[in-house]
Amino acid sequence: MTATQRPVRDPAAGTPAAAAPSATPAPARARRPRGRPAMYTGYAQNMALLNTGGKKAGVLVLFVVALLLPFLLQDDLLRLLATGAVLAIGAIGLNLVTGYAGQVSLGHAVFLGIGAYTASVVSGDPEDESVYGFGITFLPVWLLAAGLVAALVGAIVSPLATRLRGLYLAIVTLGLVFIGEHVFREWDALTGGVGVGREGPTPELFGFDVGTRSEFFSADQQLYLLMLVMLVLFALVGRNIARSAVGRNFAAVRDRDIAAEVTGVDVRKAKRLAFVISGFYGGCAGALLYSINGYIDPGSFNVLLSVQFIAMILIGGAATISGSIMGAFFVALLPRLTRELPEYLPFLSSSPTETPNVFQFETFLYGILIVLFLILEPRGLFGLWVRARNYWKAWPFSY
Amino acid sequence: MRDVLLTAIRGIGFGSIYAMLAVGFVVIYKSSRVISFAQPALMLAGAVLVSYLAGPIGFYGAVLVAALAIAALGLGVERATIRPMIGRPVFVIAIITLGLDIAIRVVVNAFIGSDVRNVGDPWGLSAVDVFGLPVQERYIAMVLVLVVTVGALFAFFQYSRYGLAMRAASLDQETAMVQGVSVGAMMALSWAIAGGLAAVAGAFVGAGGGIEQNTWIIALKALPAIIIGGLDSVGGAVIGGLLVGLVESFFATYQGEYLPWLGQNFSLVSPYVLLLVVLLVRPYGIFGTREVERV
């Protein structure tokens, strides 16, 4: 139960008179009148996780479809969707700090890297002389370790955010990516070094390795289901953070930090918490991402990765959890979509040595989509969805 | 001693390039309160243009044409993507420039190809003898071009009508507008100036070593420079740029000997470490104006 659902305390409740059994019974939980599904009679109803019938049904349908997908789609597409789910976890983390709390972070790649390496150290083979490894392959252990270490780094970084604002912070976090990349490249005992790399963490649950095929499912089907469950968990937690007092503090800091401070929000604490939470999400996403890929190259955690995450939350919709998820799946599936393009646009080549080719076009699309979404639809895919929803909600009187 | 001097000269040489790029960032920041992450792409575009034009019209002509062309590109970028966003949060505009950077670089990279491209500079790695020290000619050229361009810019801001108008617009847009300054035109002009500077810097980045697809990273080193100098100070940007160049150069020469545990190529990230250190001590840079907020 979050802070918002707590009933408003009766001012008389603290007095001795109220402690005695009172004549009037306590008001029952606010209940909707029959036949008025869109009417709210209490704050808690308005702030509920799924506050309309449409959302309840929609989420249920989405979840059922997502559970059925492994039996409908090819393995390679499932792997992409699993990657998308993991990216979505990372995007939710970035959205909490950048979208909700308004602290521009171009350093999300560092958190992913820290998470990935922490997890692979915890799960790594202790017999291997060249890199660290503790041999604990149980998924919750390495996932928590990854999240906590990255969150710790977030806490260490956060004083920067309390001292700096806006673009200064953006540039400093960009600097962190370069420093992080350097550390990953040079710390061979941790990362295996450039060009060598190391294995990602092993996704094992109760002695069952999710990453290898079993009797009933292929490896990709299992990974997809695992990542789907993870995404649902992280998204639920993220949504609850966003709609609780913590989330409202974040929004207050974003909208005007001085005003927030005046109204009693501890700005430093809010910023620190935002970076810690974002670090935790980023770390978990990094760990999970490389348990799908199975191999970590120390050069992967660069500026481009950070920019991709920024692209996810901006294309999806800043300060929305569902938007982060949409954006992440969009970015994850974009390469697959552009691969199909040469059939329709014959001037595009599918070989990387010729120009113009699909890989160039894909990168170009990232850039242009960021620009177009920000100019034309600042709320991103989420905004498009809201427009479509509102159109049909008022249909046939929508104009 | 000889090593120290040579290291310092190399630092000042590359520092001049960072300073030129940093001045471009600051000019944009002063007019639109935005950091343009598109500068790396513009720099690379300028360098590529020079590398193609140096053959037919010579290096100096190519630099001039490239500067004008990239200035026009900067103008176009401002017109098409920044002007519609006036009044929106600066973060959003900064991210737009990030998107532009990605898109422009794809096009530019297609012209670079996978190899190193020579920009056709007349110096290469040849050196002249200055007081018994073999100083590479390109470093002298870099310093000279910084002095000329930034000197011209200072004179422009200080003495010309348009310079005055730009300073007025940056100080207070509404008051400037009331006095008859076209604030929009001044914004466009500042983006053009920054584009031109980036193109010149790009040509000199390639001097001696040529350019490749990863060269854009160099332009990001101007970011520590402007932050160290203070976002809204042109003089601070020059000093910040030179400082970044010196720090990088000294780390490149001596870090392997004295601080080997920092790993190879630490010099490449040393500007960012310098940035962190400076910001923790002085959050608005050395020459920046302290932000005063009215509640």
Side-chain angles (χ1 to χ4, degrees):
Chain A
M1 175 175 272
T2 57
T4 54
Q5 288 171 319
R6 231 174 274 143
V8 179
R9 185 182 292 163
D10 182 9
T15 61
S22 57
T24 51
R29 204 163 152 261
R31 192 169 293 171
R32 280 198 184 114
R34 200 175 285 269
R36 301 286 300 277
M39 182 174 170
Y40 298 120
T41 54
Y43 183 64
Q45 284 175 0
N46 200 5
M47 292 302 291
L49 196 59
L50 301 167
N51 56 1
T52 62
K55 278 186 198 170
K56 278 179 196 153
V59 168
L60 190 72
V61 169
L62 251 182
F63 190 66
V64 169
V65 169
L67 280 181
L68 289 177
L69 278 183
F71 310 104
L72 304 172
L73 295 178
Q74 297 292 320
D75 272 5
D76 58 335
L77 208 56
L78 283 177
R79 175 163 288 233
L80 262 183
L81 287 174
T83 311
V86 173
L87 291 179
I89 295 174
I92 292 171
L94 183 64
N95 219 338
L96 283 170
V97 73
T98 298
Y100 283 97
Q103 307 301 306
V104 184
S105 168
L106 292 176
H108 212 54
V110 180
F111 294 130
L112 258 89
I114 290 167
Y117 283 117
T118 309
S120 49
V121 164
V122 171
S123 122
D125 185 2
E127 308 283 310
D128 191 345
E129 295 287 313
S130 56
V131 285
Y132 300 136
F134 294 117
I136 308 169
T137 48
F138 187 44
L139 182 137
V141 174
W142 57 249
L143 189 63
L144 260 184
L148 289 177
V149 172
L152 185 69
V153 174
I156 295 170
V157 170
S158 67
L160 288 171
T162 60
R163 282 179 74 87
L164 306 169
R165 285 227 309 257
L167 293 171
Y168 277 93
L169 182 64
I171 291 178
V172 172
T173 49
L174 188 69
L176 288 179
V177 176
F178 285 105
I179 296 172
E181 207 187 343
H182 175 76
V183 172
F184 294 144
R185 277 176 190 278
E186 296 299 323
W187 195 353
D188 288 356
L190 178 76
T191 67
V194 182
V196 183
R198 68 174 293 162
E199 275 183 27
T202 318
E204 193 189 280
L205 275 174
F206 307 106
F208 172 74
D209 187 352
V210 183
T212 50
R213 65 167 299 124
S214 63
E215 242 177 288
F216 307 105
F217 296 108
S218 74
D220 287 322
Q221 283 173 327
Q222 293 165 7
L223 279 172
Y224 168 79
L225 288 172
L226 172 70
M227 298 311 164
L228 181 68
V229 171
M230 285 292 161
L231 173 61
V232 170
L233 278 179
F234 277 91
L236 268 179
V237 173
R239 185 80 181 81
N240 278 333
I241 290 172
R243 70 197 184 97
S244 67
V246 179
R248 287 195 299 276
N249 285 354
F250 285 178
V253 171
R254 172 193 63 200
D255 291 340
R256 190 105 169 96
D257 49 357
I258 294 176
E261 199 150 14
V262 170
T263 45
V265 175
D266 187 342
V267 174
R268 275 163 189 265
K269 197 176 143 198
K271 286 181 176 176
R272 188 167 61 230
L273 200 57
F275 269 94
V276 167
I277 294 173
S278 149
F280 186 85
Y281 271 74
C284 291
L288 292 172
L289 188 60
Y290 287 91
S291 73
I292 303 179
N293 284 3
Y295 167 79
I296 318 177
D297 180 66
S300 333
F301 307 100
N302 51 17
V303 184
L304 186 67
L305 187 64
S306 280
V307 172
Q308 278 184 333
F309 272 100
I310 290 278
M312 283 174 215
I313 66 168
L314 291 178
I315 292 174
T320 57
I321 297 294
S322 45
S324 321
I325 299 172
M326 286 190 260
F329 277 105
F330 185 83
V331 169
L333 294 176
L334 190 63
R336 178 63 184 241
L337 290 177
T338 49
R339 297 284 183 282
E340 307 287 334
L341 276 178
E343 281 186 37
Y344 308 101
L345 303 170
F347 62 89
L348 279 177
S349 154
S350 53
S351 128
T353 49
E354 293 170 40
T355 45
N357 63 46
V358 285
F359 304 100
Q360 290 171 333
F361 188 71
E362 179 194 324
T363 321
F364 187 73
L365 265 187
Y366 278 131
I368 290 300
L369 282 173
I370 294 178
V371 175
L372 287 183
F373 264 110
L374 282 178
I375 294 180
L376 301 176
E377 179 52 277
R379 286 183 303 169
L381 291 172
F382 180 79
L384 290 179
W385 154 244
V386 168
R387 274 195 209 180
R389 188 184 70 192
N390 288 349
Y391 180 89
W392 289 110
K393 217 169 165 180
W395 191 85
F397 301 109
S398 39
Y399 42 82
Chain B
M1 194 58 202
R2 200 181 132 85
D3 272 359
V4 172
L5 282 178
L6 283 179
T7 306
I9 289 168
R10 183 180 59 190
I12 290 176
F14 280 111
S16 304
I17 291 176
Y18 302 149
M20 233 182 303
L21 289 161
V23 170
F25 277 105
V26 168
V27 168
I28 288 181
Y29 182 80
K30 282 182 81 109
S31 83
S32 3
R33 299 282 172 251
V34 172
I35 287 175
S36 164
F37 287 102
Q39 290 295 97
L42 295 186
M43 181 197 86
L44 207 54
V48 168
L49 213 54
V50 170
S51 77
Y52 274 93
L53 291 176
I57 62 174
F59 181 71
Y60 298 104
V63 169
L64 198 67
V65 172
L68 290 177
I70 303 303
L73 182 60
L75 204 72
V77 162
E78 194 272 342
R79 201 68 236 189
T81 57
I82 310 300
R83 197 67 71 82
M85 301 298 288
I86 287 181
R88 301 277 298 282
V90 286
F91 161 59
V92 175
I93 308 181
I95 299 296
I96 285 190
T97 60
L98 205 62
L100 282 172
D101 177 68
I102 297 174
I104 296 175
R105 267 197 292 120
V106 169
V107 179
V108 173
N109 282 347
F111 284 99
I112 295 180
S114 50
D115 297 328
V116 176
R117 268 194 80 82
N118 193 345
V119 290
D121 59 293
W123 307 291
L125 295 174
S126 58
V128 290
D129 210 54
V130 182
F131 301 118
L133 284 172
V135 178
Q136 285 190 18
E137 287 171 357
R138 55 175 178 153
Y139 297 142
I140 301 176
M142 286 168 184
V143 175
L144 278 182
V145 80
L146 171 75
V147 171
V148 170
T149 51
V150 173
L153 261 186
F154 265 115
F156 172 74
F157 286 137
Q158 210 63 40
Y159 300 115
S160 77
R161 276 173 66 84
Y162 285 98
L164 182 64
M166 281 180 82
R167 281 188 293 144
S170 127
L171 201 63
D172 187 330
Q173 296 196 339
E174 275 142 33
T175 315
M177 227 178 248
V178 171
Q179 310 290 332
V181 174
S182 167
V183 174
M186 292 306 121
M187 259 181 79
L189 186 59
S190 70
W191 282 75
I193 289 175
L197 278 174
V200 176
F204 283 84
V205 161
I211 50 163
E212 52 173 340
Q213 297 199 350
N214 280 331
T215 305
W216 70 281
I217 300 270
I218 289 180
L220 291 182
K221 283 186 202 148
L223 292 174
I226 51 171
I227 301 265
I228 290 164
L231 271 179
D232 51 2
S233 158
V234 176
V238 173
I239 293 174
L242 293 176
L243 200 63
V244 164
L246 282 173
V247 166
E248 191 186 32
S249 180
F250 274 98
F251 266 104
T253 310
Y254 294 107
Q255 174 255 327
E257 198 175 331
Y258 294 105
L259 301 164
W261 53 274
L262 286 173
Q264 285 171 355
N265 294 329
F266 180 76
S267 64
L268 296 181
V269 296
S270 61
Y272 302 102
V273 177
L274 179 70
L275 165 74
L276 287 184
V277 173
V278 169
L279 279 185
L280 283 177
V281 182
R282 280 189 65 96
Y284 294 101
I286 299 175
F287 299 99
T289 330
R290 201 177 181 82
E291 195 175 344
V292 179
E293 191 135 3
R294 204 176 292 176
V295 183

